[in-house]
Amino acid sequence: MQNKNILQTNKSYWNTNADSWFGTTALPQYGVKFVTEDELNLFGDVAGKTMLEIGCGSGHSLKYHADRNAGELWGLDISQKQLENAERFLTQSSYFPKLICSPMEDECGIPKDYFDIVYSIYAIGWATSLENIFHKIASYLKKDGIFIFSWKHPLHGCVIVDEKQLIFNKSYFDEEWYTQIVDGTEIMLPNRKISTYVNALADTGFIIEKMIEQTNDSTLQITEEIDDKSRKAQNLPLSFVFKARKA
Ligand SMILES: C[S@@+](CC[C@H](N)C(=O)[O-])C[C@H]1O[C@@H](n2cnc3c(N)ncnc32)[C@H](O)[C@@H]1O
């Protein structure tokens, strides 16, 4: 599939549906409510840190760090509509991060060897090439800079809940790009294996400090009737988080 076609399709989806995602996949949650920064504390003290968010969406994760006194905040997103929402949302709190409208895959004037932390909450999976975007992110980071990202766990994309049973309905090994209609609009995504992320990080020279696959204790301890998503989360991780360091 042509990368240009993928980027155009996904950009169009986000421009059309930005309002319905406002603040829904942002810190302190790592994309889903079952894994949170409150519990993980992967970022530590961000006071004074220079930070860039890839796929910053409506700006809620940028605000999370601004509220914690981050030094300088930058956000990048492919969707103009998302960035308009982010700017409006952040301005209300008198925060003015530098916002850039571009595919993460492109050279877009982000400075090299500049950031203490580059992070991404539920956006890296949209990348048309992990190798390309990880190399770019490494170039933006200072030496020893930190890269934290979360995305939908590939097992979540392979398993459905049917009558309280968890059923595999797709192969874990299938990494082909697929097209799906969401809210009446087309998106294109692949379901990449965990090893694909690990190997792309290693090939870029990142040192993995932590990988998180978990569901919070309160969900694991529910014994009464639960909704399908929580039932799934009791049995497999719905999202994953990597924390890596630029060597
Ligand atoms: C789930 S949202 C992330 C929301 C964000 N974490 C927040 O705090 O609001 C995913 C974002 O990735 C962006 N995106 C998708 N493909 C992209 C690409 N190729 N380059 C840059 N951004 C992209 C979308 O426009 C969308 O805003």
Side-chain angles (χ1 to χ4, degrees):
M1 215 170 294
Q2 287 281 325
N3 287 356
K4 234 172 116 185
N5 186 19
I6 293 170
L7 292 176
Q8 191 46 50
T9 300
N10 291 338
K11 178 179 175 163
S12 169
Y13 172 82
W14 284 103
N15 278 335
T16 308
N17 296 284
D19 290 346
S20 58
W21 287 94
F22 190 72
T24 56
T25 47
L27 291 171
Q29 297 181 3
Y30 275 102
V32 289
K33 65 179 178 181
F34 309 107
V35 191
T36 68
E37 174 64 3
D38 299 336
E39 288 174 288
L40 298 177
N41 193 24
L42 296 177
F43 282 90
D45 182 6
V46 299
K49 297 266 163 64
T50 307
M51 303 175 76
L52 164 69
E53 180 171 0
I54 305 290
C56 64
S58 53
H60 288 70
S61 300
L62 287 169
K63 179 173 184 296
Y64 179 87
H65 291 304
D67 288 343
R68 284 157 184 76
N69 303 316
E72 194 179 317
L73 284 166
W74 293 51
L76 167 128
D77 203 283
I78 197 170
S79 161
Q80 189 60 45
K81 177 71 177 147
Q82 285 279 62
L83 291 179
E84 283 164 19
N85 285 352
E87 189 169 17
R88 197 173 334 107
F89 172 65
L90 291 158
T91 304
Q92 283 164 9
S93 304
S94 300
Y95 295 140
F96 305 98
K98 192 163 172 50
L99 300 176
I100 297 174
C101 190
S102 167
M104 62 179 102
E105 290 84 352
D106 286 3
E107 290 294 341
C108 53
I110 295 176
K112 312 276 184 202
D113 300 311
Y114 188 74
F115 294 93
D116 298 304
I117 301 177
V118 177
Y119 70 98
S120 183
I121 312 300
Y122 258 46
I124 284 295
W126 297 97
T128 48
S129 157
L130 283 188
E131 289 72 19
N132 169 11
I133 186 62
F134 285 177
H135 272 102
K136 286 216 161 48
I137 288 167
S139 75
Y140 304 147
L141 282 167
K142 296 174 185 167
K143 183 172 175 339
D144 291 326
I146 293 292
F147 175 33
I148 295 173
F149 69 98
S150 71
W151 181 248
K152 179 177 168 177
H153 198 288
L155 279 177
H156 184 18
C158 293
V159 173
I160 54 162
V161 183
D162 186 15
E163 310 258 330
K164 301 185 184 173
Q165 298 290 315
L166 269 66
I167 299 171
F168 254 85
N169 78 332
K170 177 179 162 63
S171 166
Y172 180 77
F173 302 117
D174 178 3
E175 296 192 300
E176 287 298 308
W177 283 78
Y178 63 89
T179 302
Q180 194 182 334
I181 305 295
V182 180
D183 307 322
T185 317
E186 208 174 70
I187 59 167
M188 288 182 186
L189 279 173
N191 199 39
R192 297 180 172 106
K193 295 180 292 184
I194 290 293
S195 54
T196 302
Y197 290 93
V198 170
N199 292 328
L201 286 168
D203 290 347
T204 313
F206 277 110
I207 297 161
I208 296 172
E209 294 202 334
K210 222 166 225 163
M211 187 209 161
I212 310 291
E213 292 179 295
Q214 70 182 44
T215 293
N216 57 352
D217 288 343
S218 56
T219 305
L220 291 175
Q221 282 155 13
I222 300 172
T223 50
E224 64 267 25
E225 269 308 295
I226 46 171
D227 60 280
D228 282 356
K229 199 162 185 188
S230 301
R231 182 181 302 281
K232 206 172 177 184
Q234 282 189 331
N235 289 278
L236 54 92
L238 299 196
S239 60
F240 64 79
V241 191
F242 277 96
K243 178 175 180 179
R245 182 179 294 276
K246 177 178 171 177

